Amino acid sequence: MTNLTVAKLLKSKPLQEVEIKGWVRTFRAKRFVALNDGSTLNNIQCVVDFENTDEDTLKRITTGAAVSITGELVESQGKGQSVEIVVSKLEILGDSDPETYPIQPKKHSFEFLRENAHLRTRTNTFSAVMRLRSSLSFAIHKYFNENGFNYMHTPIITASDAEGAGETFRVSTLDQKNPPLNDDGSVNHKEDFFGKETNLTVSGQLEAETFAMSLGKVYTFGPTFRAENSNTSRHLSEFWMIEPEVAFMDLAGNMDLAEDFMKSVIAYVLEHNKEDIEFLNDRLLNEEKTKPQAERSELSLTEKLTFVTENNFKRVSYTEAIDILRNSKPNKKKKFNYIIEEWGADLQSEHERFLVEKHFKCPVILFDYPADIKAFYMRLNEDGKTVRAMDILFPGIGEIVGGSQREERLEVLKEKMAALDIPEEELWWYLDLRKYGTAVHSGFGLGFERLVMFVTGMTNIRDVIPYPRTPQNAEF
RNA sequence: UCCUCUUUAGCUCAGUUGGUUAGAGCAUCUGACUGUUAAUCAGAGGGUCCUAAGUUCGAGUCUUAGAAGAGGAGCCA
């Protein structure tokens, strides 16, 4: 393996002899190869002496072919690039039949590229998106590492479905056609691989709480699975989630952490992935031009990102938000599909969008939600009606973070579980945390793909994960 | 799961009121040209009009059912 990359060559001064391998993006005028190796968005131009190269080799320089090029790095004679390689030796490593190669040097629709997801990272947009995904993932680990968090691997296969975060995928090795049955005709899971009913995890939160109550500050970053039949541009059946959990931290601290975290990782990619963000910014600007004036967004991608890093998130209680919504124009003129009347109503995405995009025009943290519309483990406030939950809403994305201070009082937690028919036997270990050395603690969950969407400006979640799993689709 | 829209060449799309041999741009191939930047010019090949059934003398076009894709809603991250 050589350390030489196109990214390094493009920043280099002239060099006597260089060898570089990559894939042909275009071959113009039998002379100019645009070569890309994935290290950067940009191609390096390689100038072929076509008069002294045999015809067979020239014909095999086609879009998508893998080649090895040796030559001299010189200042470019033409405009459009500062340096180029004068080719002395060109070797075809892998041919690419132009009759059948699906990625043409032209614009493709994202729908078409999704069907060719194994090749779509050979385009500028998807290589930029996936480099950003990788960079963001690193920024997340870096942030937690520098702030004293321990990285925890929570189990993928779990037995409890107690959280009720949606439909789960069952994990079983029983014979599907002829499973062992109980006397009452139900499937006997005692004979299953784990001796009980198991499923793919919907969240690592409950396990993360156990580590928070011993290691103090922990986070998980791994795949989660939901078998919901959701067909939207914001949902996946398999997605990656980041879940920090911190002992002795209350809801206010949780909001501080979430805001600082979001600002920090976005600032990281703004600094380290300038080229890719600029490219995606320009791509969006061009796309916006095709829309009518009224539908265009006020801020460009880079402006939106710097806006997040430089402004404080607006913190608003659920009760205040209901007042704002109740007195808002769309509510009075009945423009909302769901009219806000009573305290206690769940907010719909149209309401969240109104608050973020029209009213406050910045990221918003909503907190202290009615207990009835939130999960059982959230800390009940002294008013007995609300819980210490918080959601962060981002423009264009909606809910990106959901978190809470956890209920640390054993008796209150037991009452909540009883009210919701959650059997204590299933979560005995979770209750133990409240029996032995219980303490205030908090955490949140962040959908990684939604963060990648925000940072790249992509509008379909299937375009920010390598191989999306959605209902009726598990190709690749 | 619900609502709406879409499905015609490798890709993006047009196709009139149901009427002869289904078109364009790009891509591909052949030739010309050669310091190009989505190169240019000339020519050629390329179609199970998503599937099935129906109406009709005749269906890419109309009807019904199904499949796939997209957008929105719900659920959520």
Side-chain angles (χ1 to χ4, degrees):
Chain A
M1 191 183 104
T2 164
N3 284 324
L4 201 55
T5 61
V6 170
K8 284 183 186 169
L9 282 181
L10 288 172
K11 287 178 190 154
S12 166
K13 286 176 181 159
L15 289 167
Q16 281 285 313
E17 188 175 285
V18 294
E19 189 195 350
I20 190 84
K21 290 168 186 161
W23 294 270
V24 175
R25 280 290 174 82
T26 60
F27 183 39
R28 279 188 302 273
K30 268 192 191 171
R31 189 193 282 266
F32 304 101
V33 178
L35 191 77
N36 190 284
D37 69 350
S39 61
T40 163
L41 190 72
N42 299 305
N43 307 319
I44 190 155
Q45 172 157 289
C46 306
V47 187
V48 179
D49 180 5
F50 64 93
E51 281 158 330
N52 294 306
T53 305
D54 69 279
E55 196 67 21
D56 177 60
T57 305
L58 288 177
K59 276 193 178 167
R60 290 170 66 196
I61 307 175
T62 56
T63 303
V67 295
S68 172
I69 280 173
T70 312
E72 191 181 345
L73 187 73
V74 300
E75 278 181 40
S76 179
Q77 294 177 32
K79 291 169 193 164
Q81 60 279 319
S82 56
V83 291
E84 64 190 19
I85 297 174
V86 178
V87 178
S88 57
K89 191 179 138 202
L90 187 149
E91 191 189 342
I92 307 285
L93 301 175
D95 288 281
S96 172
D97 181 0
E99 297 262 17
T100 57
Y101 184 59
I103 311 296
Q104 300 164 2
K106 59 169 282 190
K107 277 213 170 111
H108 288 290
S109 67
F110 288 154
E111 288 87 346
F112 171 73
L113 289 170
R114 239 168 260 154
E115 287 166 14
N116 292 281
H118 60 310
L119 299 172
R120 67 179 172 171
T121 38
R122 297 189 186 194
T123 66
N124 286 338
T125 301
F126 283 94
S127 66
V129 167
M130 293 308 160
R131 268 191 301 272
L132 270 162
R133 184 183 165 102
S134 169
S135 191
L136 264 174
S137 157
F138 176 75
I140 287 163
H141 285 299
K142 183 170 178 284
Y143 176 87
F144 285 126
N145 186 269
E146 287 174 357
N147 285 282
F149 282 72
N150 289 291
Y151 178 29
M152 174 192 181
H153 299 119
T154 50
I156 305 286
I157 298 171
T158 60
S160 64
D161 179 27
E163 214 207 329
E167 293 289 311
T168 59
F169 288 100
R170 275 200 295 275
V171 175
S172 173
T173 54
L174 293 177
D175 183 355
Q176 281 188 37
K177 282 180 191 155
N178 192 18
L181 299 177
N182 292 315
D183 293 342
D184 63 0
S186 61
V187 175
N188 180 4
H189 286 282
K190 284 192 180 135
E191 288 192 28
D192 207 342
F193 190 87
F194 295 106
K196 55 163 76 171
E197 227 178 323
T198 49
N199 48 263
L200 295 178
T201 183
V202 292
S203 160
Q205 181 201 313
L206 303 190
E207 288 90 350
E209 281 186 49
T210 65
F211 267 39
M213 298 307 282
S214 51
L215 300 181
K217 295 161 96 174
V218 298
Y219 74 103
T220 74
F221 184 1
T224 42
F225 309 86
R226 305 269 166 98
E228 288 290 331
N229 191 9
S230 302
N231 294 289
T232 82
S233 50
R234 298 181 310 282
H235 291 86
L236 291 166
S237 311
E238 175 182 292
F239 63 101
W240 287 64
M241 192 148 68
I242 297 123
E243 294 174 290
E245 193 71 34
V246 180
F248 313 115
M249 182 175 78
D250 63 8
L251 188 68
N254 202 17
M255 291 193 266
D256 292 342
L257 173 66
E259 180 169 348
D260 187 53
F261 166 79
M262 296 296 281
K263 285 178 172 170
S264 166
V265 296
I266 290 172
Y268 179 88
V269 292
L270 274 173
E271 188 189 333
H272 290 85
N273 298 72
K274 281 202 184 97
E275 277 178 357
D276 289 326
I277 290 178
E278 252 166 55
F279 173 81
L280 292 167
N281 186 59
D282 293 346
R283 190 195 75 77
L284 273 177
L285 285 179
N286 285 327
E287 199 182 81
E288 292 272 302
K289 280 181 195 161
T290 65
K291 290 186 193 166
Q293 195 83 40
E295 286 174 29
R296 294 183 197 174
S297 65
E298 292 170 33
L299 297 179
S300 73
L301 178 63
T302 43
E303 284 166 342
K304 260 198 284 188
L305 296 177
T306 42
F307 186 87
V308 168
T309 60
E310 287 171 7
N311 290 280
N312 290 332
F313 296 6
K314 185 76 192 170
R315 299 185 189 189
V316 188
S317 76
Y318 168 88
T319 307
E320 289 172 82
I322 287 289
D323 279 342
I324 291 166
L325 286 167
R326 209 185 281 152
N327 294 318
S328 69
K329 266 191 196 168
N331 202 56
K332 286 183 173 165
K333 292 189 177 172
K334 312 222 164 178
K335 288 272 170 65
F336 283 143
N337 287 323
Y338 295 85
I339 303 300
I340 297 285
E341 284 163 4
E342 303 263 318
W343 187 94
D346 209 349
L347 299 183
Q348 307 294 320
S349 39
E350 57 180 348
H351 306 129
E352 297 179 349
R353 257 204 313 271
F354 174 83
L355 290 171
V356 173
E357 289 161 20
K358 295 276 188 292
H359 190 80
F360 291 112
K361 297 191 177 179
C362 73
V364 173
I365 310 184
L366 290 180
F367 63 93
D368 283 352
Y369 279 84
D372 293 347
I373 58 173
K374 289 289 179 182
F376 77 94
Y377 50 73
M378 297 183 177
R379 175 62 155 79
L380 194 65
N381 273 312
E382 274 59 48
D383 61 12
K385 292 195 306 186
T386 59
V387 287
R388 290 185 194 161
M390 63 109 176
D391 285 351
I392 301 187
L393 311 177
F394 263 34
I397 308 284
E399 188 181 335
I400 191 163
V401 166
S404 68
Q405 184 177 323
R406 320 305 189 190
E407 182 57 73
E408 83 282 10
R409 300 164 296 182
L410 181 64
E411 288 313 312
V412 182
L413 189 59
K414 277 186 173 176
E415 278 169 33
K416 271 280 201 60
M417 286 171 64
L420 292 166
D421 284 329
I422 301 169
E424 288 186 20
E425 311 87 80
E426 252 185 56
L427 289 177
W428 60 274
W429 50 274
Y430 189 69
L431 290 168
D432 264 8
L433 299 177
R434 279 75 183 168
K435 251 190 245 174
Y436 308 113
T438 191
V440 164
H441 63 289
S442 305
F444 62 84
L446 166 71
F448 183 52
E449 281 73 21
R450 292 201 180 160
L451 177 61
V452 181
M453 283 173 83
F454 182 73
V455 166
T456 58
M458 300 297 280
T459 51
N460 192 316
I461 201 164
R462 298 167 192 126
D463 294 332
V464 300
I465 188 167
Y467 299 107
R469 267 73 179 105
T470 51
Q472 298 301 314
N473 179 22
E475 194 68 51
F476 304 103

